[in-house]
Amino acid sequence: MSQNDFLDQMKKMDKKERRDLLEKLTAALTPEQQKQVQSIMGDKKQMEKIKNNLKGDDFSTLVEGLAGKEDAQDFLNSPQVQNRLKELLQ
């Protein structure tokens, strides 16, 4: 999946769904994690690196994980998600 595919999938979401997803994601992050996300988003090189490393199932995994019955914070802290985040940030 290219960076454009990932962003296109986000854009195709209903505005309410996208807002709900982002709110759930943000609420699940600890204050420290929120600071890390803000730092990464402010770093153009880091954002480019993440965009270039996205895989085809990253978006669907994120949406399904946050929409599932599992607590969003537990999902984000799962070994699978943590390992994938490390891969994206390398």
Side-chain angles (χ1 to χ4, degrees):
M1 167 181 281
S2 73
Q3 64 187 4
N4 291 332
D5 292 339
F6 187 93
L7 296 175
D8 287 344
Q9 287 184 3
M10 287 281 299
K11 290 176 186 175
K12 288 179 185 176
M13 291 180 80
D14 174 82
K15 287 182 182 182
K16 183 182 179 329
E17 285 179 315
R18 184 173 52 236
R19 186 182 67 239
D20 290 347
L21 176 70
L22 292 173
E23 285 176 3
K24 188 171 186 177
L25 179 60
T26 302
L29 296 173
T30 66
E32 181 62 33
Q33 289 169 325
Q34 290 178 12
K35 288 179 186 176
Q36 289 173 332
V37 169
Q38 288 175 340
S39 175
I40 290 168
M41 291 181 73
D43 184 339
K44 195 171 186 172
K45 287 172 113 177
Q46 193 72 5
M47 283 300 296
E48 208 48 46
K49 185 187 297 185
I50 290 171
K51 289 177 184 178
N52 290 331
N53 288 331
L54 290 172
K55 291 182 182 175
D57 62 345
D58 286 337
F59 182 78
S60 59
T61 300
L62 176 65
V63 171
E64 290 169 14
L66 292 175
K69 294 182 181 185
E70 182 180 6
D71 180 66
Q73 195 166 34
D74 289 342
F75 168 72
L76 293 175
N77 288 318
S78 70
Q80 176 189 2
V81 172
Q82 291 298 310
N83 288 335
R84 183 65 188 124
L85 287 172
K86 287 177 185 173
E87 290 172 5
L88 285 170
L89 296 173
Q90 289 179 346

